[in-house]
Amino acid sequence: MDDFSVPVSIPLDSDGFLRRECPTCEGEFKWFSHDEGDPDAEVAEQYFCPLCGVPAGCDSWWTPAQLAYMQGVAAPEIDRVIRESIGDAFRGIRGVTFRQNADFGLGTPTPDPLVEPDDMIIVEPPCHPNEPVKVPEAATARLYCLVCGAPFAA
Ligand SMILES: [Zn+2]
Ligand SMILES: [Zn+2]
């Protein structure tokens, strides 16, 4: 089977922010989701948590709800690809009939779409105003820049 990827879109809030959960402090915040090719987007191999300042790799910030959703969306698609490749393997072999079996595989139903509420407030780190974040209002006294980790207060 060839490698394949399943595109899963995670919703942004109406300001274009994506909800994130810090793997260190488990606090939730949001970062701005730049369009692909946006010159304002900082290219980074890690980001600093705005709440606790501890860095983690770019892929470490999914919330449990987002992970569950992605697995839920990807599973039926993986299922379909496996089924098709089994069908291909049997095609053309005399005397073997491959029947599609709807119960084959994981059979996971596609989950309901995620909804992203417009909560939290926007703050811009003075050192990197092109990378605003949204944080819970109670957390604004001491924040850290997403890109360089410099502390600031909103
Ligand atoms: Zn944190
Ligand atoms: Zn910065």
Side-chain angles (χ1 to χ4, degrees), residues 34-153:
H34 293 277
D35 291 334
E36 213 171 313
D38 183 343
D40 272 352
E42 293 287 338
V43 179
E45 288 185 358
Q46 61 176 16
Y47 289 110
F48 293 84
C49 173
L51 304 175
C52 71
V54 176
C58 297
D59 232 19
S60 310
W61 302 91
W62 299 106
T63 70
Q66 289 167 340
L67 286 172
Y69 178 72
M70 289 190 287
Q71 279 166 2
V73 171
E77 182 63 13
I78 292 167
D79 215 25
R80 185 186 64 77
V81 171
I82 291 171
R83 215 176 300 166
E84 281 181 4
S85 66
I86 291 173
D88 286 347
F90 281 102
R91 198 164 296 145
I93 300 176
R94 197 185 293 270
V96 174
T97 310
F98 176 74
R99 277 193 199 85
Q100 300 280 347
N101 179 353
D103 295 330
F104 177 83
L106 303 168
T108 315
T110 304
D112 292 334
L114 286 181
V115 176
E116 185 53 58
D118 287 328
D119 57 350
M120 306 191 193
I121 55 169
I122 299 180
V123 292
E124 288 181 359
C127 51
H128 284 94
N130 55 325
E131 291 287 354
V133 291
K134 281 193 180 187
V135 296
E137 200 165 350
T140 53
R142 186 169 183 82
L143 296 167
Y144 301 87
C145 174
L146 188 67
V147 181
C148 68
F152 69 100

